[in-house]
Amino acid sequence: MDRNDEVVMRRTGPSGLEVFLGGADPSRLHDWAADGYRSSREYLFWSRKVCGLACLQSLLHGWTDIRLPMGELLAQALDWGCYVVEPSGKVQGLIYRPFMAWVGSQFGFHCELVEHTPIQVSGREVEPGQVMIASVSPEIRDPNTREPQRGGHLVLVYAVDDGVVRFHNPSGYSHNSDSASLPMHVFERFHAKRGIMIRRTS
């Protein structure tokens, strides 16, 4: 995750956010072929768009013996319509309902859509064996960001206790991507009040 430290975010307006690379070409820092990508170009195109698949990959590693490289997960997700690439090159996704259908069918997880629900409520359902992929602002990596946008990025919330939200952030900094934590009232500022609750069924 140290390559994430090269990612820079810059406001382009009240609701706009530009994400770009401030340092070295990450395809030279990362073994994209081992991740199942067919080329460095494919890796660069998708690497900042697969946060939801990174959350799923974490679950597969924690709950199952399934080990699939990101490129293979992406191919399956595209087949199921979890992402749609427009002719312009813009990507729609992660699209929740196809993702839920795929994860349920392929991996046997029970999924439930979360909408219009603050973290103070949805967080009560997070417990051992049940997590939430939550929609937040990418700016959550910098909790002191003022008036952040909501949504646009996905994190894996694995525990909510004593007023603290604990989560994996696929685009977090190297020191906290695997295990970040924020007071609930801070997390709430970035949270879009939607996501997917996922339960282990076996």
Side-chain angles (χ1 to χ4, degrees):
M1 289 293 182
D2 55 345
R3 60 191 179 276
N4 288 348
D5 295 349
E6 300 291 337
V7 176
V8 178
M9 297 181 189
R10 182 170 60 200
R11 288 293 186 93
T12 58
S15 60
L17 185 65
E18 180 184 16
V19 180
F20 60 96
L21 299 169
D25 180 347
S27 67
R28 296 184 180 181
L29 302 175
H30 180 66
D31 188 352
W32 49 265
D35 253 0
Y37 290 102
R38 294 170 294 182
S39 66
S40 61
R41 183 177 180 179
E42 182 181 54
Y43 166 72
L44 287 173
F45 180 81
W46 284 104
S47 60
R48 287 172 283 159
K49 302 176 177 70
V50 292
C51 47
L53 297 186
C55 293
L56 173 62
Q57 195 174 53
S58 292
L59 285 183
L60 292 175
H61 285 190
W63 287 354
T64 77
D65 295 325
I66 298 171
R67 300 291 181 267
L68 294 176
M70 185 58 71
E72 187 169 341
L73 284 175
L74 175 60
Q76 291 190 28
L78 287 167
D79 285 345
W80 278 81
C82 304
Y83 297 95
V84 175
V85 183
E86 299 177 355
S88 65
K90 182 179 179 181
V91 176
Q92 294 183 20
L94 183 85
I95 304 173
Y96 288 179
R97 285 181 172 82
F99 177 82
M100 293 165 61
W102 167 48
V103 167
S105 174
Q106 187 71 16
F107 306 115
F109 297 157
H110 175 80
C111 299
E112 182 178 344
L113 187 63
V114 176
E115 293 182 296
H116 314 296
T117 307
I119 187 63
Q120 291 86 347
V121 176
S122 58
R124 298 172 192 160
E125 303 299 320
V126 176
E127 57 187 25
Q130 181 154 290
V131 300
M132 180 171 62
I133 295 180
S135 177
V136 299
S137 167
E139 297 167 295
I140 199 168
R141 74 203 302 244
D142 294 311
N144 292 326
T145 301
R146 292 176 134 191
E147 299 181 358
Q149 66 179 40
R150 293 174 184 244
H153 179 52
L154 296 169
V155 299
L156 182 66
V157 177
Y158 62 87
V160 179
D161 50 59
D162 297 325
V164 175
V165 181
R166 306 181 193 280
F167 58 100
H168 299 307
N169 182 5
S171 69
Y173 293 112
S174 55
H175 68 275
N176 67 359
S177 61
D178 287 341
S179 185
S181 62
L182 287 175
M184 189 178 293
H185 71 276
V186 176
F187 186 92
E188 190 275 335
R189 291 198 296 111
F190 299 87
H191 187 219
K193 299 183 181 180
R194 62 179 180 268
I196 304 169
M197 201 71 68
I198 303 179
R199 186 172 74 241
R200 185 178 184 178
T201 56
S202 60

